[in-house]
Amino acid sequence: MYANVLVQYEVKSLDHTFTYLVPEELQDIIQVGMKVSIPFGHKNINGFVISLTDEKPNSEYEIKTINSIINKDIKLNKELMDLGIFLQNKTLCTLMTAYQTMLPRALKVDNKKESYDKYQIYVELDQDIDTIDRYILGHQRSKKQIEILNILRDGRALKGEVNSSSLKTLIKLGLVKETRESIYRINRIVEQTKEYKLTEEQEMAYKQVDLNKNNTYLLHGVTGSGKTEVYMHLAKDVIDQGKCVIMLVPEISLTTQIVNRFYQRFGNDVAIYHSNLSDGEKYDEYKKILNGDAHIVVGARSAIFAPVDNLGLVIIDEEHSDTYKQANNPRYQALDIAKERTKYHNCPLVLGSATPSLESMARAQKGVYTYLPLTKRVGNAKIPEVQIVDMAPEYKKRNMILSDTLKLEIMNCLENNEQVMLFLNRRGYSTLISCTSCGYTYKCPHCDITLTYHKSTNKLKCHYCDYSIYLKDNICPECHEKAIRDYGLGTEKIESEIKELFPSYKVVRMDADTTSKKGAHEEIINGIENHEYDIIIGTQMISKGLDFPNVTLVGVINADTSLNMPDFRSGEHTFSLLNQVSGRAGRSSKLGKVIIQTFNPDNKTLFYVQNNDYMGNYNYEMNLRRILKYPPYCFMIAVRVTGKDYDKTSKEILRVANYLKNNKEDSTIILGPTTCTLFKVKDIFRFQIIIKYRFDEKIIETLKELDKMFIDKKDLNIEIDIDPLDI
Ligand code: ADP
Ligand code: ZN
């Protein structure tokens, strides 16, 4: 028997299988999808079995023999093996990269560690009761031993809970034995809550989802309309059919509350999947799914690869979120994978959002997706009133951070014993530190970006490569004047200003800096829920999904950072961001208020945000996209060439552009080459070409060819990004 094995290296030149002989003793056990150890060159490495055959290959090389199978209990099933090929074709990554992406670190092919299993050790009687009784009669003075034997008479006990020296004696005598049982590290015991009776609108949406058909639904529900409750009702039906649910959420900050709601409803039938878990925890959750001990998987992007073999439903919550596209290789969209998997299992896919992406809404309008609207907030909660504040006159009054309006509203809110959320899309103290005399700014020597000042550490940091320097004094390194000042705003700066303005209230900051420690997120969120804080300051981390009934005021310190992004999606993103942020206000019976500060009070996007007019913004943006030929009116691919040497890299991108121009359909548009928005990152120069097309049958093949040409190129890399998020 022979096995075709894909080796562990994720390089294009080894993106094919090698044939190995399967030794006699493994022939009955070996299966496609298993991890094996193999001799390769002069080393032993690992690989995946891609196929098995009895036919002897006609190869001029000597055929080597597989050493062993690693972890016989865990293998990729047929669906996931095929999904790997799908992922490879969709993103042009190597097949090994595709498989590696699907597995938690503990199970990745090149991981040497044998086992991550965690065991609980028990002790139990190893003789019949008569023998035990006889022993007790003959050893009346061994009180401790008798105590143990009497405990074990009623059943096993945890080893740690009985006296150890006496136990040792009993084990030696053969009266008692140890047993091991593998356990899961995560075991949430929470109070169970009953399900709500659905509102009329929720019921309508819920009823339309056909669990026995492959169809995609767009659940478009305003913030607070109870989308999660609809998900949970659907999930329950799927579990009742004996099937499994995968639910994706954008990021960890969101999982806390939503995961808790799922635990409260479904107990330990839930497995979680996100980057903040330890390797052991991830391994356990993976195994829990494989063993059928969890029917609901809740997690971030990669949870879409969860090894469920009887999938009944996939939910993508906050479907517009850009976290569903992986930013590095393989650049996959969770949505594409979800569609493939639901097709395979003939089950529905539900996309939920208060602000669906233009692409999804366009598909819903065309009837490709079934549209399920939820237009009202649950209960008495009303959509909050949104007020736009022009910051130009405020600046004249020296109100650099808070307008008078916002200050007043904060006071009001605090006096009513309610909570305030202040939102800013920038962490750090201030965005820009520069010299007021000569205009000098601190830039990262390795990246094409200015450094951000972090007051707590008194450091200037690069947010791309972690380069940092101390800010010594306010003397300019260029002109030596005492004129270094800070401009722009960061969460840290707002925090210190707020603490000064409202000294008797408790303030908490939630951003990447304050939540980097494990568990820090949950702690802050619990603190907010328990009203340990009055004012919450945060980045986009606080914008989505969180549900705090006592937050009645939301302030957006500066809407312009998002509006001014040089990206064709900035209007769409700003609407969705501000709408989500606004959605944090007034989620219970208390009326909410939102204040948005800007220097562009007449901006169209802000107008639609103010009127909570998703469709208005949708039509406006779609019109722009049509005129400017942007997605969803065309497909887009970014091709980037990166390298350490400026000249070599810039010449290469020109060659690539020519190659593409000579190998495309007439209607396909090639834009560039240009430098990337981030021109230099970690000393690597970056150039790009944008391809826009509507119908081009050859384009993917052309790109595959192009990709191959880079296999032997030293110091030059090509990145092919299909449906890029930012350009
Ligand atoms: P969304 O995800 O659409 O923003 P949520 O699912 O968080 O909204 O629901 C908002 C609030 O309404 C939550 O506190 C939730 O528990 C509550 N809720 C949802 N559906 C119902 C219902 N049918 N009856 C009572 N309360 C509900
Ligand atoms: Zn840098």
Side-chain angles (χ1 to χ4, degrees), residues 334-347:
L335 177 63
D336 293 330
I337 309 293
K339 283 186 179 164
E340 189 67 12
R341 292 201 74 178
T342 50
K343 198 164 79 190
Y344 181 92
H345 290 277
N346 191 36
C347 70

Side-chain angles (χ1 to χ4, degrees), residues 519-572:
H521 247 116
E522 263 155 313
E523 226 168 87
I524 296 182
I525 287 175
N526 287 338
I528 301 172
E529 274 176 350
N530 300 332
H531 205 153
E532 285 159 35
Y533 306 110
D534 304 297
I535 304 173
I536 304 112
I537 299 167
T539 53
Q540 73 233 48
M541 221 176 249
I542 62 170
S543 70
K544 302 169 207 161
L546 300 172
D547 186 8
F548 305 115
N550 201 40
V551 171
T552 53
L553 175 66
V554 167
V556 177
I557 303 294
N558 178 1
D560 304 327
T561 39
S562 168
L563 278 175
N564 296 337
M565 291 289 266
D567 182 349
F568 73 95
R569 286 198 172 92
S570 74
E572 177 187 354

Side-chain angles (χ1 to χ4, degrees), residues 444 446-447 449 462 464-467:
C444 175
H446 310 288
C447 308
I449 191 155
C462 170
Y464 286 95
C465 75
D466 271 346
Y467 168 87

Side-chain angles (χ1 to χ4, degrees), residues 120-124 144-145 147-152 155-168 170-171 176 178:
Q120 193 90 274
I121 300 177
Y122 293 94
V123 285
E124 62 185 44
K144 289 249 165 70
Q145 292 186 16
E147 199 181 306
I148 295 175
L149 291 171
N150 281 333
I151 291 173
L152 299 185
R156 65 181 190 176
L158 278 173
K159 189 186 174 190
E161 287 173 2
V162 288
N163 181 295
S164 67
S165 62
S166 310
L167 182 66
K168 256 191 206 144
L170 290 170
I171 290 173
V176 170
E178 272 183 23

Side-chain angles (χ1 to χ4, degrees), residues 77-83 214 308-311 337-347:
N77 65 22
K78 170 88 170 70
E79 185 210 351
L80 295 179
M81 290 301 283
D82 289 347
L83 195 62
N214 176 226
V308 293
D309 54 14
N310 53 351
L311 190 60
I337 309 293
K339 283 186 179 164
E340 189 67 12
R341 292 201 74 178
T342 50
K343 198 164 79 190
Y344 181 92
H345 290 277
N346 191 36
C347 70

